[in-house]
Amino acid sequence: MSRSIPLCIILSIFTCGIYGIYWMIVLNDEINAASGQPGTAGVAVFLLTLITCNIYGLYWMYKMGERVEIINGGYSSSTGILYLVLSLFGLGIVSYALMQSELNRIYGGSY
């Protein structure tokens, strides 16, 4: 599903991250479906990230980068590393925006 990236970022900020949690869950499920790869459900990703104090969240970012590469028809760990590094520097929302951009491209969104 196509989403407006600026709107998602604004909603994440104004809801103090609650929309960001929803966005992460839907991104996970949609990227898993688009890549054809089985993976952890979105709610489980959120709970594991919460329980492990974001350690699983960093792993998840790397795995989503791999899945985005699969969607693009290739395999490279560079996207996963980019998402991981952005998250390590507190810019996870930028990784979400990049993931959403890829999904918008696939689903023909104009955002």
Side-chain angles (χ1 to χ4, degrees):
M1 178 177 168
S2 289
R3 287 182 187 81
S4 168
I5 295 170
L7 181 61
C8 289
I9 292 171
I10 290 168
L11 285 173
S12 295
I13 292 169
F14 284 134
T15 61
C16 299
I18 294 172
Y19 186 82
I21 294 168
Y22 167 76
W23 194 17
M24 177 183 74
I25 291 170
V26 228
L27 276 174
N28 178 74
D29 294 339
E30 290 177 357
I31 288 175
N32 285 344
S35 69
Q37 299 288 316
T40 311
V43 175
V45 168
F46 169 67
L47 292 174
L48 287 169
T49 301
L50 191 63
I51 291 169
T52 62
C53 299
N54 201 35
I55 294 171
Y56 187 83
L58 296 173
Y59 167 76
W60 176 78
M61 285 289 189
Y62 180 79
K63 293 306 279 184
M64 286 297 107
E66 288 181 352
R67 293 212 168 103
V68 166
E69 288 292 332
I70 290 170
I71 291 169
N72 288 331
Y75 179 80
S76 169
S77 62
S78 61
T79 306
I81 292 172
L82 172 66
Y83 293 168
L84 178 62
V85 169
L86 285 170
S87 295
L88 285 171
F89 286 103
L91 298 171
I93 198 162
V94 176
S95 297
Y96 292 179
L98 293 172
M99 288 180 222
Q100 187 65 55
S101 174
E102 287 298 320
L103 286 174
N104 287 350
R105 185 184 57 77
I106 291 168
Y107 295 128
S110 58
Y111 304 110

